[in-house]
Amino acid sequence: MEDFINESILESISEEYQIYKMTCETIPTKYVIRDEDGELVRHNNMTFFSSLKDAQQSLAEIVYKRFEESAQ
């Protein structure tokens, strides 16, 4: 039961964020994470991620950190 509750909390936190693909003619494609207010999120001093995988990993770290903070 506790695992279900933890998964629900993690899912709720992750729903507050979205990954967006940014394209521009002059720079390579980058990915960004935005919060529920549409603000760009920085993680490990980075705002732009070169691959979707990097953005997803960073988002997972952000969500897990918030989960740990909420458990305290």
Side-chain angles (χ1 to χ4, degrees):
M1 181 70 169
E2 185 176 316
D3 287 339
F4 177 74
I5 293 170
N6 289 344
E7 287 179 30
S8 294
I9 294 169
L10 286 169
E11 184 177 325
S12 176
I13 294 170
S14 67
E15 288 175 354
E16 297 176 16
Y17 299 94
Q18 289 190 341
I19 296 174
Y20 289 92
K21 181 178 182 179
M22 298 185 68
T23 56
C24 180
E25 292 179 13
T26 58
I27 61 171
T29 299
K30 300 285 184 186
Y31 294 86
V32 296
I33 302 170
R34 291 188 182 268
D35 65 14
E36 60 189 357
D37 297 325
E39 298 292 323
L40 293 177
V41 176
R42 290 182 59 85
H43 181 66
N44 291 337
N45 293 322
M46 295 178 62
T47 304
F48 299 96
F49 304 92
S50 58
S51 71
L52 179 58
K53 182 178 177 180
D54 290 342
Q56 290 170 330
Q57 177 64 36
S58 294
L59 180 55
E61 292 171 6
I62 291 166
V63 168
Y64 191 73
K65 182 178 179 186
R66 284 205 40 211
F67 173 75
E68 287 180 332
E69 290 170 353
S70 70
Q72 294 177 357

